Amino acid sequence: MDLKTTKASPVLADPSAPISKSRLGMHSSLMPYSQTGTSFPSTILTIPRKKPAKLDDVGSNGWLEAMKSSSPPRKKILKDPFAGVSSDDGECAYHSWKLKFPSALFSFEKIVDYARDKKIVMFLDYDGTLSPIVDDPDRAFMSADMRCAVKNVAKHFPTAIISGRRRDMVSELVGLTELYYAGSHGLDIKFPDKEVNLFQPAREFLPMIDEVFRTLVKITSDITGALVENHKFCASVHYRNVDEKSWATVAQRVHDVLKDYPRLRLTHGRKVLEVRPVIDWNKGKAVEFLLESMNLGNSEEVLPIYIGDDRTDEDAFKVLRQGNRGYGILVSSVPKESNAFFSLKDTEEVKKFLKSLVRWKEKSML
Ligand SMILES: O=P(O)(O)OC[C@H]1O[C@H](O[C@H]2O[C@H](CO)[C@@H](O)[C@H](O)[C@H]2O)[C@H](O)[C@@H](O)[C@@H]1O
């Protein structure tokens, strides 16, 4: 582990110690609906050696179901709670869903009213949040206008990009050196404008990920449309461009490879299978770590806002919700179960929200 910049260590000495309400920065008054859970998840890092439970075929362990429901088309009945319940009357379902997850644009006054005496810290996912979902992951570019919006946000609030992509790739796509970057689902963190200051809690997994990446490339090479990306601390197997009839083959082959790697696990993203180290670290832990590193982890005066569209963003939403510490905003145009508080429909609405925040801040400074 290489940790050079932070004053506060992310590793808590006693994760079971009680945490006071003031430390949590409780602010239930603005919650759109009732909150549960007040315990602060510790940022302590553990690397379990235990073999995770695995089932023998992808049909029986829900992989296929999860694959079918990821990134769902609007007009489809879906059972997965993370996938939504859209149907032919999808519009209607979407509107009633928004009663539970109100639009962050519609609730903007409420949000900034609450933020008035607080320091906002902005966390942004990349794919599906800053750049629209496209078929080719290499062509997921954010618009110049979005870049400008993020740049302006970062002038006023500490801003971090938290992505499943490898850090150097996402930082190149965003192209703003003044931001914090957490790549590989938070496993590779870099502070702004500093070349060497990194936090990489899964360094020991590098050779293993590299090896598994090569194997995944090999075993999917005959599946038309399959694409494997090496994200340094994790690997992604894309099936967005694979004929649905072959999804079971993709799943089974990835599953078979993972049998030989008990220290790796699989998570589901949007038409992507993500192979990650079995360590107690995720986007939520990265958010906690970054707040601590900024010396902003322990205050009622801080309001973290996290915007993301994916299941992996749920870990971050959960952290903000469990501690009632800040706001998760889910980007989705279909109803989905989520730990977020608010919603935005798409990247255009994300941009509007960011611009509104900048306008509000600049006005408040006059
Ligand atoms: O955490 P994120 O920044 O949201 O990254 C998650 C994954 O994003 C990318 O894949 C997704 O976007 C692609 C481009 O729009 C799309 O083709 C793909 O189907 C989506 O899953 C990235 O390529 C993955 O490696 C990331 O894990």
Side-chain angles (χ1 to χ4, degrees):
M1 190 185 300
D2 185 1
L3 171 61
K4 297 190 183 103
T5 46
T6 54
K7 286 184 198 147
S9 163
V11 181
L12 302 177
D14 178 7
S16 61
I19 308 291
S20 70
K21 275 193 175 185
S22 67
R23 163 150 190 212
L24 294 173
M26 291 283 269
H27 46 83
S28 55
S29 57
L30 189 57
M31 300 312 172
Y33 59 101
S34 70
Q35 304 302 300
T36 52
T38 52
S39 66
F40 182 87
S42 104
T43 50
I44 201 156
L45 183 62
T46 50
I47 303 185
R49 304 278 155 174
K50 227 175 85 193
K51 202 172 168 137
K54 288 229 173 84
L55 295 172
D56 281 327
D57 83 84
V58 297
S60 59
N61 67 13
W63 279 34
L64 261 184
E65 187 70 19
M67 285 170 81
K68 284 181 185 154
S69 65
S70 79
S71 214
R74 287 195 68 120
K75 300 201 177 207
K76 219 174 179 187
I77 296 171
L78 298 158
K79 287 182 198 139
D80 184 324
F82 279 100
V85 288
S86 65
S87 65
D88 278 345
D89 52 355
E91 282 305 314
C92 182
Y94 186 65
H95 288 302
S96 42
W97 175 77
K98 278 183 112 173
L99 296 174
K100 194 173 172 194
F101 300 97
S103 161
L105 288 173
F106 190 74
S107 311
F108 188 74
E109 286 309 315
K110 220 174 163 189
I111 294 173
V112 293
D113 194 43
Y114 189 73
R116 200 169 302 282
D117 301 319
K118 302 191 188 306
K119 187 175 180 71
I120 291 178
V121 184
M122 184 59 71
F123 295 96
L124 299 163
D125 167 55
Y126 184 76
D127 288 279
T129 298
L130 296 182
S131 73
I133 293 294
V134 292
D135 285 346
D136 180 357
D138 290 337
R139 303 204 57 78
F141 303 120
M142 65 193 269
S143 65
D145 204 21
M146 180 68 98
R147 183 168 297 104
C148 183
V150 176
K151 192 176 179 57
N152 288 334
V153 162
K155 281 182 191 155
H156 299 293
F157 318 110
T159 301
I161 306 291
I162 317 260
S163 173
R165 288 180 183 258
R166 57 188 293 154
R167 178 179 46 79
D168 53 356
M169 182 192 277
V170 73
S171 100
E172 202 179 309
L173 285 165
V174 175
L176 300 170
T177 54
E178 59 269 45
L179 311 185
Y180 293 78
Y181 286 94
S184 309
H185 300 287
L187 289 166
D188 188 4
I189 297 180
K190 183 179 171 294
F191 300 84
D193 297 319
K194 295 191 177 88
E195 232 7 271
V196 289
N197 289 320
L198 301 176
F199 177 65
Q200 298 176 328
R203 282 188 96 111
E204 63 172 288
F205 287 86
L206 283 177
M208 193 187 286
I209 294 289
D210 201 50
E211 183 182 287
V212 88
F213 163 73
R214 286 165 206 271
T215 310
L216 291 169
V217 170
K218 222 180 279 168
I219 55 117
T220 55
S221 61
D222 62 332
I223 304 174
T224 309
L227 172 74
V228 187
E229 287 179 302
N230 185 344
H231 288 310
K232 196 167 175 177
F233 295 99
C234 52
S236 299
V237 183
H238 290 273
Y239 57 92
R240 180 172 294 279
N241 302 317
V242 173
D243 188 318
E244 197 167 334
K245 289 191 202 100
S246 302
W247 288 5
T249 312
V250 175
Q252 192 63 55
R253 290 191 190 172
V254 174
H255 184 268
D256 290 345
V257 170
L258 283 189
K259 277 183 188 159
D260 296 331
Y261 293 91
R263 296 181 69 213
L264 299 180
R265 66 185 171 119
L266 181 119
T267 54
H268 294 267
R270 298 183 68 166
K271 304 259 187 279
V272 66
L273 301 174
E274 315 206 77
V275 176
R276 300 157 67 169
V278 180
I279 69 166
D280 187 17
W281 199 263
N282 54 42
K283 289 184 172 185
K285 299 275 181 179
V287 165
E288 289 182 310
F289 172 78
L290 280 165
L291 286 169
E292 295 278 339
S293 306
M294 296 169 191
N295 278 329
L296 299 173
N298 200 3
S299 168
E300 284 182 34
E301 308 307 313
V302 176
L303 180 65
I305 298 179
Y306 186 108
I307 311 182
D309 71 312
D310 210 343
R311 289 175 208 218
T312 58
D313 299 311
E314 291 295 328
D315 292 320
F317 295 154
K318 234 182 267 172
V319 160
L320 299 187
R321 172 179 285 279
Q322 278 173 352
N324 287 338
R325 307 175 83 186
Y327 294 132
I329 301 178
L330 175 69
V331 184
S332 181
S333 57
V334 293
K336 285 183 186 176
E337 220 25 85
S338 176
N339 285 291
F341 285 116
F342 297 106
S343 67
L344 288 168
K345 198 170 182 182
D346 51 25
T347 54
E348 275 305 300
E349 286 203 356
V350 171
K351 193 171 70 189
K352 265 191 210 158
F353 179 79
L354 297 179
K355 285 185 172 182
S356 304
L357 217 47
V358 170
R359 265 198 308 274
W360 164 76
K361 183 67 186 174
E362 289 177 352
K363 210 167 139 200
S364 73
M365 287 161 60
L366 291 176

